[in-house]
Amino acid sequence: MANRHSRKPLIPPFSVAFQTPPAAPHWQRWLLFSPLARLLIFVLLALGLMLAGYAVADALGWQGDDDTALPAAATGLLTEAIPWLLAYLILVCWVERRPVSELAWRTLLPHTLLGLLLGAALFSTVIGILGALGVYHITGTRAEMHWLAAVLSLGVVPAIGEEIVSRGVLFRIVEEGLGTWVALVVSALFFGLAHLGNPNATLWSALAIAIEAGLLFGLIFHVTRSLYLCMGLHAAWNILQGAVFGAPVSGLPAQGKLIATLTGPDWLSGGAFGPEASPIAMVCCLAVALPFLLAMRRRGSAVPPYWRRGGSLGADRDTGPTAAHSD
C-alpha cells in the first residue's frame, strides 16, 4: 500500500487569485492581463472616478471653506474611498473576470468585526505602554465630538482606500509576478513612502510605518486573503488613535474625545508625527505580525516568482484563491 505522505499533492500550497486565460491572444496577455497593465488600468480607472467624485462634491457645495466636519468627511468618501473601491471592483470583475473573494459578502461582517477588535486591542496596548512609560498624558476631555465625521475621515476613508491600493492591488499583483517576499517588501515600502508627504513626516516615520503596518497588513492579507480584516484593523487603529485617545494620526493633528499630549524624547514618543513613529508601536505590530508569518511558513503558502512556477507570467497552474488556506 502506497504511503499517502509520498503522493504529490494535486494542488500546490501556494495560490494566486488571477491567472491569464490560456486562450488569451498575445496582445491581451501584455496589454490587458499582465501585472503592469492591470496596475495601469486600475490607476486610470481610479483617477477618472476621483475626478467624478470631486465634481459631485463641488456640485453639492461640499468643497468650500465653510464646510462643516461631516461634509468634509463625505467628500473624502466621494473622492478617495469610493473611487478606489469601484476601480478595484471593475478591475476584478471586468478585466480579471473572477469572483471578488477578498471582498465576499459572507465575510463582510465577521472579518470586519475581527479586524476592528484586533486593531482596537493593538492600539490600546501601544497607548497603554506609552502611558506607563510616562510619555502619553491625558489632560482633559472634549465636550463635543463630531463622531460620525471622525469615524469617516480617520477610519473608513483611509482604511478602504489605502487597503485597496496597498494590499488589494499592489501586494496582490506584485505577488502574482514576483512572489510573496518581494510583494511584502514592495507594498510595505510603498505604504511607508505614501505617508512621507504627511505633516511632520520624516524618513524614520515612513520607515516605521512600512515596517509596523506595511508588513503586518501584507502578512494578514496573504494568510487570510481578506481585505475586510485589513480594513477593520486599519480603521480601528486610526479611530482609537485620533478620535478616542487624541494622538496625532500619521502626523495629522487629532481632535479626539480625550485631550492628550506626548512628552519625552521624540524617538520614544513619535514626536509630532504621533505614536506610529514610536518603537513601541513597531514592536507591538511586529509581535502581532509574527503569528501570521509563522502561519505562512507552516503552510508553505509563500508564492514563488513566476519563473520558478514553471509557467509564463500570469499563466500559472490551476491554483484557486482558497488553496493556500486549507490545512
Side-chain angles (χ1 to χ4, degrees):
M1 185 174 181
N3 187 341
R4 64 184 180 90
H5 296 293
S6 65
R7 186 180 303 169
K8 185 178 180 179
L10 296 177
I11 300 177
F14 61 84
S15 69
V16 292
F18 172 75
Q19 301 163 61
T20 300
H26 184 75
W27 71 268
Q28 285 188 354
R29 289 177 175 272
W30 291 105
L31 297 182
L32 190 63
F33 298 130
S34 70
L36 185 59
R38 283 180 287 139
L39 285 171
L40 182 58
I41 290 170
F42 172 79
V43 170
L44 293 176
L45 284 170
L47 289 176
L49 291 166
M50 286 173 66
L51 291 175
Y54 277 112
V56 173
D58 187 60
L60 294 173
W62 288 354
Q63 298 193 65
D65 294 335
D66 59 345
D67 280 347
T68 62
L70 189 56
T75 298
L77 281 176
L78 285 175
T79 59
E80 297 177 43
I82 293 176
W84 295 116
L85 177 58
L86 289 178
Y88 187 71
L89 294 176
I90 293 172
L91 175 72
V92 172
C93 296
W94 290 1
V95 177
E96 297 180 348
R97 301 176 187 176
R98 65 174 180 85
V100 195
S101 56
E102 58 272 39
L103 290 173
W105 284 109
R106 69 180 183 280
T107 60
L108 170 59
L109 185 59
H111 286 193
T112 302
L113 288 176
L114 180 59
L116 289 171
L117 291 173
L118 180 58
L122 180 55
F123 188 78
S124 295
T125 301
V126 171
I127 209 70
I129 295 174
L130 290 175
L133 293 175
V135 172
Y136 173 78
H137 309 274
I138 299 173
T139 59
T141 58
R142 186 164 279 103
E144 295 184 0
M145 271 285 296
H146 296 286
W147 281 106
L148 180 57
V151 168
L152 289 176
S153 61
L154 292 176
V156 175
V157 171
I160 293 177
E162 293 177 15
E163 292 311 310
I164 286 289
V165 173
S166 300
R167 258 59 64 177
V169 176
L170 186 62
F171 175 87
R172 181 176 62 83
I173 292 180
V174 171
E175 184 182 48
E176 292 172 11
L178 303 179
T180 300
W181 294 110
V182 174
L184 281 171
V185 173
V186 169
S187 62
L189 288 177
F190 171 83
F191 196 62
L193 291 174
H195 291 80
L196 195 55
N198 286 20
N200 306 305
T202 63
L203 287 176
W204 164 250
S205 68
L207 179 62
I209 285 184
I211 294 173
E212 69 197 21
L215 291 179
L216 173 60
F217 289 134
L219 285 167
I220 289 176
F221 179 68
H222 171 82
V223 172
T224 67
R225 294 300 181 190
S226 171
L227 283 173
Y228 293 134
L229 189 56
C230 296
M231 291 174 182
L233 194 158
H234 194 151
W237 174 287
N238 282 9
I239 291 168
L240 262 72
Q241 184 172 213
V244 177
F245 290 108
V249 180
S250 302
L252 300 171
Q255 299 292 321
K257 182 63 178 177
L258 298 176
I259 302 172
T261 59
L262 293 169
T263 60
D266 287 352
W267 68 265
L268 179 61
S269 68
F273 192 81
E276 288 160 318
S278 167
I280 303 301
M282 186 181 299
V283 170
C284 290
C285 288
L286 289 177
V288 175
L290 182 60
F292 291 95
L293 175 63
L294 294 177
M296 180 181 76
R297 298 283 291 177
R298 177 176 59 83
R299 296 174 177 181
S301 61
V303 179
Y306 77 91
W307 59 84
R308 290 181 53 197
R309 302 200 296 263
S312 61
L313 185 58
D316 295 296
R317 290 167 288 178
D318 187 12
T319 57
T322 60
H325 313 297
S326 56
D327 290 327

